[in-house]
Amino acid sequence: MKVHLQVDGAPGRAVEHARELAATGADGLFTFEGPHDVFFPLVAAAREVPLELMTNVAIAGPRSPLHLAHAAHDLQSYSAGRFRLGLGSQIRVHIEKRYGSTWGSPAARTAETVAAVKAILDAWEGKAPLNFRGEFTTHTLMPPNFDPGPNPFGPPRVLMGALGPVMTRKAAEVADGLLVMPFNTDRHLAERTAPAIAEGLRRAGRTAAEFPVIGQVMVAVGRTEAELAAAVAGVGMLIAFYGSTPAYRPVLEAEGWREVQPRLNQLSKTGGYAEMRALVTDEMVRRIGIVGTPAECAARIRARFGPDVAEVCCYFPGYTPDPGAVADLVTALHAA
């Protein structure tokens, strides 16, 4: 199983951290939309480490598909063909109040952005004239002086992140692969994600072999009781934050924890973060996150996703794992 690790996006830290992660034996690096730009750290790392690179995810809604296509095309060139563009959505309050953009039809909008980016990349490859006409965006003009031409390493693949069944189905219909959201459980994946993938592939006339699924997990890894306690505390806090969002309620419902979500949501509005963390039990951390020694975590990841998932993105929220433990986790996953 290939292993991708989250690289620090802070200016002045990305290159050093990329080198540290490469030393663990990881196969790739990913970024997400946090306190720093989602693309710049990958540009910095592209020439410094020979690892695969991806955004996981860049938020599609506020961005023009043309801007995304240019970023993906150029990162594919900078990295000599090691880049994949992962796109995803966000909840309404962030789209409107943080990004200052327009909310509506998130699954349809994200899927259309994926399709539009792919159409632009195909036009640059000379496969067809640019003639994309969607519900939310239209791209029909590409004069030669704005066309970078075919990418010498081939066009980058465009992946889509998803959690709910509608978004997951759309990803299986249009994207080059699925990025599984990390706030998840074995039961939710089996009962809701897998059927949605199958339905999307059926609608698109595609097979599972044509559609890679990339897992993502919040990992609490440690080799001592003290390390594990710090790791569980960090992962538990992020689970509380995620769980406060109504969009993540179906995961809690699947496990019989429906009543927890409204309480988390209410506390998030009053700044009751300590109380939020107290509502997340160790059992919840173990079912939603991945907890244990490196070998135990590798076994749990493989059990969650099964033999057909060949890649996983691991991140370690709220704590700093021992580099040796991370290297051992990577080694164990490679053998999984």
Side-chain angles (χ1 to χ4, degrees):
M1 177 178 268
K2 283 187 176 181
V3 185
H4 307 278
L5 302 177
Q6 182 185 332
V7 66
D8 191 334
R13 172 66 175 146
V15 169
E16 179 186 2
H17 194 220
R19 290 171 178 158
E20 292 170 0
L21 296 179
T24 68
D27 301 281
L29 308 177
F30 68 92
T31 54
F32 83 114
E33 291 268 18
H36 300 286
D37 184 83
V38 73
F39 291 105
F40 288 175
L42 300 179
V43 176
R47 299 291 179 89
E48 299 293 332
V49 294
L51 303 183
E52 298 179 21
L53 308 170
M54 78 171 95
T55 54
N56 188 7
V57 291
I59 303 305
R63 291 184 168 93
S64 161
L66 182 64
H67 288 142
L68 290 167
H70 275 299
H73 179 280
D74 290 353
L75 262 165
Q76 179 77 332
S77 294
Y78 291 149
S79 65
R82 292 178 282 117
F83 177 71
R84 288 176 290 184
L85 176 66
L87 298 176
S89 66
Q90 248 293 1
I91 61 174
R92 182 171 188 163
V93 65
H94 284 267
I95 292 295
E96 292 183 342
K97 296 184 177 182
R98 185 158 67 95
Y99 288 96
S101 189
T102 302
W103 167 262
S105 306
R109 191 182 294 269
T110 304
E112 185 173 298
T113 298
V114 169
V117 170
K118 292 177 68 175
I120 294 166
L121 293 171
D122 282 349
W124 291 344
E125 292 294 312
K127 295 180 180 180
L130 182 59
N131 186 29
F132 185 88
R133 302 173 188 270
E135 179 183 356
F136 307 102
T137 186
T138 297
H139 303 274
T140 59
L141 178 67
M142 188 57 62
N145 53 320
F146 296 106
D147 185 341
N151 194 294
F153 303 98
R157 284 172 288 169
V158 185
L159 313 174
M160 185 168 155
L163 176 68
V166 176
M167 190 78 75
T168 301
R169 190 189 73 231
K170 286 287 189 182
E173 290 182 51
V174 304
D176 295 323
L178 173 69
L179 294 164
V180 175
M181 295 295 289
F183 190 90
N184 232 312
T185 66
D186 298 11
R187 179 174 295 165
H188 184 269
L189 281 164
E191 295 180 357
R192 304 195 181 189
T193 302
I197 292 172
E199 175 60 17
L201 293 176
R202 186 194 66 77
R203 292 188 184 191
R206 306 165 74 186
T207 67
E210 301 173 85
F211 186 70
V213 174
I214 301 170
Q216 185 172 191
V217 285
M218 295 177 280
V219 182
V221 66
R223 293 179 293 193
T224 68
E225 288 187 11
E227 288 178 352
L228 280 171
V232 167
V235 172
M237 190 63 243
L238 186 58
I239 288 173
F241 174 76
Y242 275 143
S244 69
T245 303
Y248 292 99
R249 183 183 299 164
V251 177
L252 298 173
E253 289 177 341
E255 298 292 338
W257 300 323
R258 178 181 187 144
E259 74 285 350
V260 176
Q261 196 281 321
R263 295 164 66 189
L264 289 170
N265 181 260
Q266 184 175 11
L267 287 167
S268 72
K269 294 176 180 178
T270 59
Y273 300 115
E275 294 90 341
M276 288 171 63
R277 174 63 186 91
L279 290 175
V280 176
T281 66
D282 286 350
E283 182 185 8
M284 293 172 70
V285 175
R286 289 183 179 278
R287 282 207 224 169
I288 296 172
I290 299 291
V291 179
T293 66
E296 290 169 343
C297 286
R300 278 286 299 117
I301 290 169
R302 173 48 72 201
R304 172 169 293 186
F305 294 108
D308 295 330
V309 172
E311 301 181 62
V312 65
C313 294
C314 298
Y315 75 116
F316 313 95
Y319 76 105
T320 302
D322 177 75
V326 176
D328 288 348
L329 173 64
V330 171
T331 298
L333 284 167
H334 283 164

